[in-house]
Amino acid sequence: MNFLSPLTEGLRGLGRAVLFLFTILAGIPAALLRPRLILQQIYSVGVLSLIIIVISGSFIGMVLALQGYRTLVNFGAASSLGVLVALSIVRELGPVVTALLFAGRAGSALAAEIGLMKATDQLSGMEMMAVDPIKRVIAPRFIAGLVAMPLLVSIFSLMAIGVAGGHAIGVELLGVDDGSYWSQINQAMHGTDIRDMLIKGTVFGLAISWIAVYQGYHAAPTSEGVSRATTSTVVVSSLAVLALDFVLTAFMFH
Amino acid sequence: MTTAADSLVRVRSLKFGFGPKVIYDGIDLDIVRGKITAILGPSGTGKTTLLRLIGGQWKPDAGSIEFDGIDVHRQSRSQLFELRKRMGLLFQSGALLTDLSVFENVAFPLREHTAFPESMIRDLVLMKLEAVGLRGAAKLYPSEISGGMARRVAMARAIALEPDMIMYDEPFTGQDPISMGVLIRLIQGLNKSLDLTSVIVTHDVEDVMRIADYVYVLSGGKVLDHGSPAEVQHSKSDLVRQFLNGEADGPVSFHYKAARGYADDLMAGRE
């Protein structure tokens, strides 16, 4: 039954990844006692991702405003441009695009760093010094991804809707009334939209961090192994984000 | 005759393999306290595997490994970590943490396992670095030092917690004669001054024979011979003699076993 072997291998891999997640969760209390390690990682995966997030958020907001205005103006509804940009960003584009960028920028870096630590015996060296690499290396990086993602999603959304994004194009360039732009957003957007955006950001952050540390920790200790782990992190994370987005949206829609 | 009390590490009937490939087929081995024991053998014999088995990183398929009377593989994870504080393993690469300076690498186990004040950690680290001659390199990063220096830093890190035993994995590989001389002197000096037990896994026969108190020669999953360096040098085993004298052909064939003859292989390409 050879055609079943990829399926069983896939399920086995999923089982290993779930067990690994439980090991990380067990290591989180110890990692929380050393906040400096977590802050270092938040800087590494979060602060260093800011440039790409800010620039992408701004451009996506600008493009959305241009495209939205062209359609809305035909119906005399150009003043609703803010709502279109805001809801598109907060409900979908913000969390999803941020997650895809985060997987490419921070997820790949996490997997490569951990894979290289393994290939150069740094993780084995820690174990032989009676230091648990799960608590010292993996858990702080996992927590950092979990914390950084919702913050990055918020910053992305802020940039896309206001600051240099939709507001800059819609209000400053195309002449939509500033008051209408903000007041319509205020009326149409609810607290639940913000809540759902943060939930999506957190779930995506968990998925990407989990996949990245798993791929890095289980990478073959060779240059090819590290390269494969890095690629897998980006591919698997991106697919997981899109699939999870569908599931979460389906639940939130209800 | 070695008694149980003399041995810091006792390996009994150890069997281990990777899938169908047998690495150890029931070996017995004793590492005597306070001595330097060399584990010799051709590449691919599983010498490094033995160190990982002693350190509890891998589990044997059968048999036992005792460290100071404690069965390494019957310990819980936390008990195993406690045991590891009493043994150091020097990896071939040094395994230094690349994002930390030389100073921080040596301070790493002290920061992880002790609550010493910063001033005491600083003094201890500088003492350990002075012992390996690298106090002046404290601020450098692993990428800024040579391979030989990296191994000396790893030595300083390994003795930071003052363990009972240090295991050296191929410490001389890729070293120039000066670095090699320094490492040999350090291994010998540290063993004596810190009352350590040392295990050196290597295939650099000549150099290790000068400092080892006891030698094991492993190959094909078995202990081929053991004894003092002088005894092993007069071994009756052809394989041991081939290995010690560095002969290209002998029981270990120069040619890797091929599925068919040389002429058949050449002719096959013409069909």
Side-chain angles (χ1 to χ4, degrees), chain A residues 34 37 113 117 120-134 136 141 217, chain B residues 52 55 57 77 81 84-85 87 89 91 93 95-98 108-109 112-113 157 161 167:
Chain A
R34 305 176 69 175
L37 287 178
E113 184 191 15
M117 286 181 86
T120 52
D121 282 328
Q122 292 182 53
L123 297 181
S124 290
M126 272 189 199
E127 280 197 354
M128 283 309 297
M129 284 188 280
V131 176
D132 189 346
I134 297 287
R136 180 65 172 69
R141 282 161 175 78
Y217 197 77
Chain B
R52 288 185 185 265
Q57 287 198 310
R77 193 166 165 84
F81 274 29
R84 282 181 185 160
K85 289 180 190 170
M87 52 172 105
L89 172 56
F91 289 85
S93 58
L96 297 180
L97 300 167
T98 47
F108 183 80
E112 290 292 324
H113 296 305
R157 188 174 69 176
L161 288 175
M167 300 181 277

Side-chain angles (χ1 to χ4, degrees), chain B residues 158-220:
Chain B
I159 58 171
L161 288 175
E162 301 189 352
D164 299 334
M165 176 178 82
I166 297 192
M167 300 181 277
Y168 300 90
D169 183 13
E170 304 280 7
F172 313 121
T173 304
Q175 299 302 302
D176 63 61
I178 298 172
S179 296
M180 201 181 264
V182 168
L183 288 171
I184 287 173
R185 206 183 72 184
L186 272 174
I187 292 172
Q188 209 170 17
L190 291 175
N191 199 75
K192 200 173 170 188
S193 59
L194 300 177
D195 198 21
L196 286 169
T197 300
S198 301
V199 184
I200 307 175
V201 152
T202 184
H203 45 238
D204 290 302
V205 177
E206 213 174 293
D207 298 294
V208 85
M209 284 295 204
R210 279 167 28 208
I211 57 168
D213 297 303
Y214 206 81
V215 177
Y216 282 90
V217 184
L218 309 179
S219 186

Side-chain angles (χ1 to χ4, degrees), chain B residues 118-131:
Chain B
E118 191 55 37
S119 59
M120 190 186 279
I121 288 181
R122 184 179 178 277
D123 291 348
L124 282 170
V125 171
L126 292 180
M127 281 162 64
K128 304 300 175 191
L129 283 173
E130 178 71 11

